[in-house]
Amino acid sequence: DVIDYLGGNPVVCLSQNGSFLENTTVLYYSYPTGYFILTNIGCSLSVVGSFLILLTYILFKELRTLPSKILMNLAVAIIVSNLFILIGGPIISSFPSKNLCTSVAIILHMFFLAQFSWMSMMVFEMIRTLRNATKLTPESQHFKTRLFVAYFVLGWSIPLVITVASIVVNFTTDDLVLYGELEDGTQGSCWINHLESAIVAFIVPVALSILFNGVSFVCVTVLLCSAWRTESKLDKEKHVPFLRVYIAIFSITGLTWLFGFLAILARSVWAWYPFIILNSTQGFVIFIMFLFTKKVALLYLELLHIPWKPKTSSTSTKQTYDLHTPKYGGGFTSSKTDSAACQSPASTDSTV
């Protein structure tokens, strides 16, 4: 393998006869240096953010609600896929091997699909939480455990089945899937090199996940709008923070890939930059959305035995959607603060 530069852009090439000769070089792909830099920066941030998600939920058992456990699995998928993006290239460049390239392609396929699978699980759980928000009786721990087992099986089995089926086809045929190799048997890019197979085994499942997330978003929006016509002002305010969180989740699960499709249609180098930035930083964005909060900060301060004195202010109540409220495995909370409050992390949030 060699990496050459054509017009200032990195180009990955391979000789078909074992030595690099210009007239026998196969060009696999070429992309602007900016893509490479942004991808590495974004994936690194994503790995750090996803690691912090796992670390936080491991350290603080009280935060491990049903949605939080879904986020932990999503974080695992993001960490594995982004790590192989970051280290896969250097490893293969240092130890050229078609089998190694094939292995990287299979792992990336599996965990990219797992990301979308777990994002869909998260969206479904958000819808379920909204529908159950009016129930007076909390769900039992036994029910939530069984529900998480169902999520776990679906979240990992769907990408696993698709990947295993692709592996079987790859090793039983000569011209389908083509993990890490071309039709003539030489090493290709460390991905699915057969276009139709990539469409069936990756693009279609991804498109179905995005479609599900988009349709769910529309249904939730319609449901909330219908409720607002008949509910009191207090009830309307209760659903506003939920809608904000749902919009944020939809932006990650659907809007990001909309930029990718637009970039394909636009056929412009610059059109890919928004997609690369948003897609490569998903783990970091999810961390900021759900764990970069006062509640989590107070827990870390308590863990590290750092004294914290709240600012004195008049009594106020602010209602938010808290992913870590145990009533439904995520729900609405009201944060009440006055001069005598905030003596501990638990006192800053109370379940509505």
Side-chain angles (χ1 to χ4, degrees):
D1 289 315
V2 296
I3 298 179
D4 201 358
Y5 288 86
L6 184 63
N9 300 329
V11 177
V12 179
C13 306
L14 179 72
S15 171
Q16 292 183 352
N17 60 4
S19 60
F20 180 73
L21 296 174
E22 185 176 356
N23 61 346
T24 61
T25 297
V26 179
L27 177 65
Y28 290 139
Y29 53 85
S30 174
Y31 52 88
T33 306
Y35 289 6
F36 176 78
I37 295 173
L38 287 176
T39 298
N40 280 322
I41 293 174
C43 288
S44 299
L45 288 173
S46 197
V47 169
V48 171
S50 299
F51 174 78
L52 290 175
I53 290 173
L54 288 177
L55 178 64
T56 301
Y57 289 137
I58 290 172
L59 290 176
F60 305 115
K61 184 178 180 181
E62 58 268 40
L63 297 180
R64 269 180 261 150
T65 60
L66 182 55
S68 304
K69 293 176 182 178
I70 295 175
L71 272 186
M72 291 178 73
N73 283 271
L74 176 58
V76 170
I78 292 175
I79 288 174
V80 174
S81 58
N82 282 270
L83 276 179
F84 272 88
I85 290 175
L86 290 171
I87 68 175
I91 290 177
I92 293 171
S93 298
S94 302
F95 307 98
S97 169
K98 187 173 71 173
N99 291 334
L100 182 59
C101 186
T102 298
S103 300
V104 170
I106 292 172
I107 292 172
L108 288 176
H109 186 202
M110 166 70 186
F111 285 93
F112 276 149
L113 290 176
Q115 285 188 46
F116 287 95
S117 177
W118 279 105
M119 284 180 183
S120 295
M121 297 298 120
M122 180 55 129
V123 169
F124 181 82
E125 175 59 21
M126 292 286 287
I127 297 174
R128 197 189 67 83
T129 301
L130 176 62
R131 295 186 64 181
N132 291 340
T134 56
K135 289 185 178 180
L136 299 178
T137 304
E139 294 170 341
S140 67
Q141 186 61 42
H142 178 67
F143 173 80
K144 287 187 285 188
T145 300
R146 291 177 59 187
L147 186 59
F148 174 70
V149 171
Y151 284 148
F152 186 86
V153 172
L154 285 174
W156 289 112
S157 64
I158 292 174
L160 181 62
V161 167
I162 295 174
T163 305
V164 169
S166 301
I167 293 172
V168 171
V169 173
N170 179 77
F171 289 104
T172 56
T173 62
D174 295 328
D175 56 354
L176 291 176
V177 182
L178 301 177
Y179 280 127
E181 63 178 345
L182 302 177
E183 291 187 15
D184 59 4
T186 58
Q187 182 176 327
S189 62
C190 300
W191 184 241
I192 303 173
N193 289 283
H194 187 265
L195 178 60
E196 288 77 10
S197 299
I199 292 174
V200 173
F202 183 73
I203 295 178
V204 170
V206 167
L208 289 175
S209 175
I210 295 173
L211 179 63
F212 170 76
N213 298 337
V215 171
S216 300
F217 174 75
V218 173
C219 292
V220 168
T221 304
V222 171
L223 180 63
L224 291 177
C225 289
S226 300
W228 284 343
R229 296 192 185 100
T230 57
E231 289 180 340
S232 63
K233 183 179 179 180
L234 181 61
D235 290 332
K236 291 178 181 179
E237 292 177 352
K238 178 181 178 180
H239 292 310
V240 170
F242 184 95
L243 184 59
R244 288 174 182 169
V245 172
Y246 198 84
I247 291 174
I249 290 179
F250 175 71
S251 299
I252 294 176
T253 59
L255 195 59
T256 295
W257 283 85
L258 180 61
F259 282 104
F261 293 133
L262 291 176
I264 294 175
L265 295 175
R267 295 184 178 181
S268 169
V269 172
W270 294 102
W272 284 100
Y273 282 101
F275 170 74
I276 292 172
I277 294 172
L278 293 173
N279 195 47
S280 64
T281 57
Q282 283 184 354
F284 184 73
V285 171
I286 292 173
F287 168 75
I288 295 297
M289 281 173 48
F290 293 113
L291 292 176
F292 199 71
T293 64
K294 181 179 179 180
K295 181 175 183 177
V296 174
L298 289 174
L299 288 170
Y300 271 109
L301 289 175
E302 186 180 47
L303 178 68
L304 298 174
H305 303 290
I306 299 176
W308 178 80
K309 185 177 181 180
K311 295 180 180 179
T312 303
S313 62
S314 58
T315 301
S316 62
T317 300
K318 182 180 179 182
Q319 192 171 52
T320 60
Y321 179 82
D322 188 358
L323 187 75
H324 311 115
T325 303
K327 184 176 181 181
Y328 299 110
F332 297 98
T333 67
S334 64
S335 179
K336 191 172 184 179
T337 306
D338 55 35
S339 58
C342 302
Q343 295 178 355
S344 68
S347 66
T348 60
D349 294 277
S350 58
T351 304
V352 173

